[in-house]
Every structure is written in structure tokens, then in C-alpha cells.
Amino acid sequence: MAGGGQGLDSISSAVALILVLFACVELGDAATAVDVYRLIQYDLAGSPFGSRLAGLSHHAGSAASAVPGADLSRTALMVPLKDLDLGFLREYITNRKPLGGLVLLLPQKLREKIGIAEDDQGGGLMRNMLSEMEQLLVHANIPYPVYFAFENEKINEVLTEVQNNDATGQPATATTGGYKLVVSTPEPKKIVSPAITNIQGWLPGLKGEGDSNQLPTIAIVASYDTFGAAPALSVGSDSNGSGVAALLEIARLFSRLYSIPKMRGRYNLLFGLTSGGPYNYNGTLKWLRSFDQRLRESIDYAICLNSIGSWSDELWIHVSKPPENAYIKEIYEGFSTVADELGFKINIKQKKINISNPRVGWEHEQFSRVRVTAATLSELSVAPDFLKSSGGLYDTRSLVDETAVFKSVKLVAESLARHIYGHRGRGIEIFADNSSFAVNPFHINSWLDFLSRTPRVAPFLSKTDPFISALKKELSDHTTEVSVQHEVLDGIFTFYDQTKATLNIYQVASVTFDLLLLLVLGSYLIILFSFLVITTRGLDDLISIFRRPPSRKSKAA
């Protein structure tokens, strides 16, 4: 019995080793593992857009392998941004050519949130390419996984070998071996009831004795969330990190001003940080609908801040009402006077609201739809296209000029203060440099840096996200009655999860090598098994294993 047990143990060990061998016949040691960021996946009015798959397990190829007539249905292309041919990408997407997967390699500068500056060699062209590539990807239905990764030494070594193999006409296949790209992740699921969060804070004005009327209110508003091809990388430093940083500094300035009883104006100030900006300012609409009628009627006007961190000598005021309107004229003249003193120009542009059109290009349009006078201050002369210029891969810290944000803050704060205190003339500077009420560049820069490190695509920000808590705390430091409004993003959008993953790159041997290895090891195991049986049970037992058992007739006889 003991000998039989040892024989069975030997057989079990041999079988286990064979199974392990078969499991490892294709994959070798992992060459490297890198973080990757998935292309956004969403539905718009039921139509699918973005990358529809997340799992990846295909041999690696380079752009050189995409020759006419090549079958790339089981190939995952690795393409550095600097080598990307937008024509090739557009052809594959538009004509829905089969492709196993796509891994787009981004410059390391973008990972460090430095970005690509205009003075970089070819920086402007690369930024334009990034923008065009994103628009192509987010507005297409792509039936294979698409990931973004950052170049590093290891991944560049792999890419060089893949490119060399492709150049010699030996792309990676099951027959030739090479590298295999594997992303093991669950398939994406719909995000149920995607949350959006609005945050508001008050600075109450000072009523006169015996004054029972409600004070007028001025609202300063900025939408804080973003939209980009890769939700986990969409930081939107300019759109609209610059607007958020400016709003928080304006809140700090008026907090100091209103803390002095004699300087407390007869205007309430309402600060709103809204969500859902890229989605027709859905959060702003819900925020306004939460106001009671008295509050809505008390708003003298609202100033919305949008993309004010990348300009040099002119800004735009966008309105819905005609510039000849008395309220609009007063706003424009007040801002224009301060802008002249600061050495730049303010332009005004009207865009009428089409109630039947669901597209909302500017945040102030949501105010106008509920009959509240409002304007948007922006460096952009026209409203961006739908899901465009809302925090793409190119919109990093290098795009924002802190001097531009500084001047924008000075413009808004000074204009509002002159309106509040009734100063219409020149020569009055309430927030003078080097005074106790001066604009603080350090405060602006610290928030620009923080926002440039924080992806803020609304459906992927939970109600308890640390970023939401940070905004609430900052408003609480400078305003009173801070409140948070949680809503569900509604309308025509459906979003899917799985925005980040790990890409494992394996070096694999050819099938010929695997079969040869299997043959050698199989022969070795047979010899080893035979030796163990002979030594434990004898030669007769070994022969009896292979001997044909006697027939039933023989047994009966």
C-alpha cells in the first residue's frame, strides 16, 4: 500500500506540473506593468460613444504594422503621441476597421502636470493634435479598448523592440512570439444615479436701521467640473480651474472687507461653485431651481467666471440680453472702466437664447432662462462646442498664466466693490496692491496647483470626495451659511465606470519554442515516472500498466 501511495503521489505531481506548463506555455515573465487610463465610455440619448471595452489581451504592435491589408484584429497598437498620424486614426475609427486595442503613449510632461507650453519645440502643434485627437475619440463609437499611458524608460524599451520587429516584417503573433499587452479588469458597468454637487456660501450685507426690505444680491459663480477623453486625467487647469481659483480669491477679499463693520456693503454676496458644467450646466439649473422666489428676485445680477487663465490683453463679457439693456450696460461700463485702468480691453458679445434648443453654451444662460440678469466673463470669444474645451489632456498647469488670473480677480473684485459702494468714477482703488485688501498671488497659485492635480469629471466624483470637502472648507473659511446640494445628473447622458487599470506587458515565446519545450519536458516526466514506479513497485507493475487487460470471455473460462 505504501508503494502504491508513493506511485500515486508521483502521478499527481507529474499531472500538476503538466497543467502548470500548459498554463504558462504562452506568457513569460512580465516585462513591465504600468498604470493606464481608459478612454471615456458614455451614451448620449441612447447612442454609444467612447471605448466600449476594457479588457485587453493581444500581441503588441506599432504603427509600422498597420500596412494596407494587414489583419490587426488581434493586435494592440502602441503609438506615441509624437508619432500619431491623425489621418490613420480617423480612417480606422470612421471606417470601423478591426483592431484589437489601442494604447496611446503621452509625454511624461503631462503626467507631471507640467503640460506642453507654447515655447516648447512644436508645443503648439502638439497641443492642437491632442485637442483634435480627443474630439475624434470622444465623439466616436469605438468597439475595442483604448487606453492612455505615459512614456517611461521601460515602456520605451518595449516599444523600441516592437517597432524593430515590425520594421523587419516580423510582427508579434502566436507563431513568432514578441510582447503581449494584458489588462485584466471587469467589463464596465453603468453608473447608477451619477451625482453632481453644488456648493454655495453667503456674505450677508448690512441693513440700515428700520430697513425691513430684503437687500439686493450679487452672485459670483463658477462651474468646477471637467470633461475629457480620459476622466482620470482631466484636470482642466484653465477650464475651469482658473474660474474656481478666481472665485475663491474674490470670496477671501470680500470676506476681509465685510469683516469691518464700516466697510460692510448693503449688498448680499452669493458665491456658487456648480457642477455639471460640460453637460449644459445641469447643476446650475438645479441650483437655481432650489432658490425661493424672494431670493431669485433679489439677485441684482450674476457674474459667471469661465476660462480666465490664458489671455494677455482682452477679455469678453457674454450676455443674453442686448448690450443696450440698462442693467447690461451698467455691468459692461463698470467692468470696462476698471479694465482700462488695468491696461487691457473688455469686449461684449450677445448670444440670444433659443428656448427650444437644449444646448446651453454659457453658464449665464441658465440664469437668463429664469429671468435673472447675468453675464459670463471669459477669454473665449465664442462658446465652445458641445463637450469641447472642458478640461482636455492639453489643459494642464502650463496653460494657465497666474498673471492673467490675478488681473481677472482684480477686475471682478474692483468692479463689484465700486458697484456696491456706489463709486462710479476713476481713481478709486479698493483692492490696491500692497494694501491689506490686496489680491494674494500665493492663494491663487496654491489653488491653481491643487486643481491642476485633481481630475474632476462630475459622474466620477462622489458626494464625499475629498475635493468636494476641500471646496466646502475653503468657502466656510470666507463665507457664512455654507450649504451643499447633492443632485442627480439627468438628461441624455449615461456614464460607465472603469477609468483606470494596470497594463501588464509580457514577453512571450513563439509556439515552436513552446512545443519543443513541452516535448522535452514531457519526455523527461515520462522517464521520471517510469523510474519512480520501477523503484517503488517493480518492473512487473510498470509492465502491467501498459498490458491489455484480459477479455471478459477469458475471465469466464
Side-chain angles (χ1 to χ4, degrees):
M1 292 295 292
Q6 292 178 0
L8 290 174
D9 290 341
S10 302
I11 295 172
S12 300
S13 301
V15 171
L17 188 56
I18 291 174
L19 291 176
V20 170
L21 179 61
F22 272 110
C24 301
V25 74
E26 188 175 40
L27 295 183
D29 294 332
T32 187
V34 296
D35 294 328
V36 289
Y37 309 88
R38 195 168 79 96
L39 174 66
I40 194 167
Q41 177 181 353
Y42 68 100
D43 298 338
L44 185 61
S47 299
F49 292 95
S51 177
R52 311 309 295 182
L53 295 175
L56 178 65
S57 181
H58 290 304
H59 288 88
S62 68
S65 62
V67 295
D71 180 12
L72 300 181
S73 59
R74 297 189 59 80
T75 300
L77 294 185
M78 300 173 65
V79 185
L81 178 64
K82 61 180 180 294
D83 298 334
L84 178 63
D85 182 348
L86 284 175
F88 156 78
L89 184 61
R90 187 177 291 105
E91 179 186 359
Y92 261 77
I93 291 175
T94 304
N95 297 332
R96 298 184 68 81
K97 291 188 175 182
L99 186 63
L102 181 62
V103 179
L104 295 163
L105 303 179
L106 303 174
Q108 190 63 226
K109 283 185 176 182
L110 289 175
R111 185 187 189 96
E112 298 164 357
K113 303 299 184 287
I114 297 172
I116 304 167
E118 288 287 351
D119 54 359
D120 287 347
Q121 185 175 3
L125 292 175
M126 190 166 288
R127 281 230 305 266
N128 291 337
M129 178 184 289
L130 265 174
S131 177
E132 191 173 345
M133 176 193 71
E134 284 195 86
Q135 289 302 297
L136 178 62
L137 292 174
V138 301
H139 289 106
N141 176 9
I142 303 177
Y144 46 81
V146 178
Y147 284 97
F148 298 92
F150 291 100
E151 295 179 354
N152 59 35
E153 185 176 346
K154 288 185 177 180
I155 205 167
N156 286 340
E157 289 177 1
V158 172
L159 177 62
T160 299
E161 287 194 43
V162 171
Q163 289 174 331
N164 291 338
N165 291 338
D166 289 344
T168 58
Q170 293 182 338
T173 64
T175 304
T176 62
Y179 286 94
K180 191 167 188 178
L181 308 184
V182 178
V183 176
S184 300
T185 185
E187 285 308 307
K189 296 180 180 178
K190 291 181 180 180
I191 298 176
V192 180
S193 302
I196 54 176
T197 302
N198 300 315
I199 309 168
Q200 73 173 37
W202 277 92
L203 274 179
L206 182 65
K207 287 186 177 182
E209 293 185 9
D211 187 357
S212 59
N213 296 324
Q214 185 172 357
L215 291 176
T217 301
I218 296 176
I220 303 95
V221 188
S223 179
Y224 64 79
D225 53 357
T226 63
F227 180 90
L233 298 176
S234 182
V235 298
S237 297
D238 189 20
S239 178
N240 188 31
S242 60
V244 173
L247 180 145
L248 295 174
E249 174 61 8
I250 293 168
R252 189 193 69 83
L253 291 173
F254 277 96
S255 174
R256 292 179 62 84
L257 201 61
Y258 271 41
S259 66
I260 302 173
K262 293 182 179 180
M263 296 297 293
R264 195 169 166 190
R266 298 193 64 190
Y267 273 85
N268 299 318
L269 294 178
L270 173 61
F271 296 91
L273 291 165
T274 59
S275 183
Y279 321 116
N280 291 321
Y281 297 96
N282 188 252
T284 308
L285 176 62
K286 292 179 179 292
W287 182 52
L288 291 173
R289 285 177 175 173
S290 71
F291 293 174
D292 61 42
Q293 186 174 352
R294 288 188 63 201
L295 171 57
R296 194 179 300 168
E297 291 177 350
S298 76
I299 299 178
D300 205 10
Y301 62 84
I303 296 294
C304 305
L305 307 176
N306 184 301
S307 303
I308 52 174
S310 180
W311 61 278
S312 56
D313 55 6
E314 67 176 6
L315 281 172
W316 293 81
I317 289 181
H318 297 274
V319 294
S320 300
K321 297 179 179 179
E324 296 78 19
N325 178 279
Y327 296 102
I328 298 299
K329 186 176 181 180
E330 183 179 9
I331 295 172
Y332 173 66
E333 289 180 349
F335 274 70
S336 185
T337 298
V338 175
D340 287 342
E341 295 175 10
L342 295 175
F344 57 89
K345 183 181 180 182
I346 287 285
N347 304 298
I348 189 169
K349 179 176 284 190
Q350 179 196 10
K351 175 180 173 287
K352 293 182 179 180
I353 295 177
N354 182 358
I355 300 297
S356 62
N357 186 357
R359 170 69 178 131
V360 178
W362 296 111
E363 189 166 17
H364 74 266
E365 293 178 22
Q366 293 290 21
F367 284 85
S368 299
R369 288 172 185 245
V370 295
R371 301 181 185 279
V372 174
T373 300
T376 294
L377 182 69
S378 178
E379 69 208 11
L380 305 174
S381 59
V382 295
D385 293 335
F386 190 45
L387 301 181
K388 186 177 181 181
S389 299
S390 303
L393 291 168
Y394 60 90
D395 190 356
T396 56
R397 184 65 177 85
S398 68
L399 191 65
V400 178
D401 178 6
E402 50 266 27
T403 302
V405 182
F406 180 95
K407 290 192 295 184
S408 300
V409 169
K410 191 79 176 285
L411 169 69
V412 176
E414 200 68 48
S415 301
L416 295 183
R418 294 186 189 187
H419 179 83
I420 290 170
Y421 299 115
H423 299 310
R424 296 289 187 269
R426 295 173 177 269
I428 299 171
E429 192 174 4
I430 296 173
F431 300 102
D433 296 342
N434 300 319
S435 71
S436 58
F437 301 116
V439 178
N440 187 342
F442 177 79
H443 184 247
I444 293 173
N445 277 326
S446 63
W447 271 99
L448 285 175
D449 292 341
F450 175 65
L451 291 161
S452 298
R453 297 191 301 267
T454 310
R456 305 185 303 282
V457 177
F460 306 102
L461 282 175
S462 68
K463 299 176 182 179
T464 57
D465 192 280
F467 172 72
I468 302 294
S469 301
L471 289 182
K472 180 183 177 182
K473 181 181 183 305
E474 183 68 15
L475 268 188
S476 299
D477 289 343
H478 307 306
T479 63
T480 62
E481 301 178 37
V482 174
S483 61
V484 177
Q485 177 192 25
H486 299 297
E487 294 285 350
V488 174
L489 178 66
D490 57 19
I492 57 178
F493 285 93
T494 301
F495 291 92
Y496 295 77
D497 59 10
Q498 303 298 339
T499 62
K500 295 174 64 176
T502 298
L503 170 67
N504 290 293
I505 304 177
Y506 294 96
Q507 190 166 15
V508 296
S510 67
V511 169
T512 304
F513 174 79
D514 290 333
L515 291 176
L516 179 61
L517 181 63
L518 182 61
L519 179 61
V520 171
L521 289 179
S523 301
Y524 167 76
L525 290 174
I526 292 173
I527 295 172
L528 177 62
F529 172 72
S530 301
F531 173 77
L532 291 173
V533 171
I534 291 172
T535 55
T536 57
R537 300 178 60 184
L539 182 60
D540 291 339
D541 288 339
L542 176 63
I543 295 173
S544 67
I545 293 175
F546 301 100
R547 183 183 299 158
R548 179 181 299 178
S551 64
R552 294 182 180 179
K553 292 181 179 180
S554 299
K555 289 183 179 180

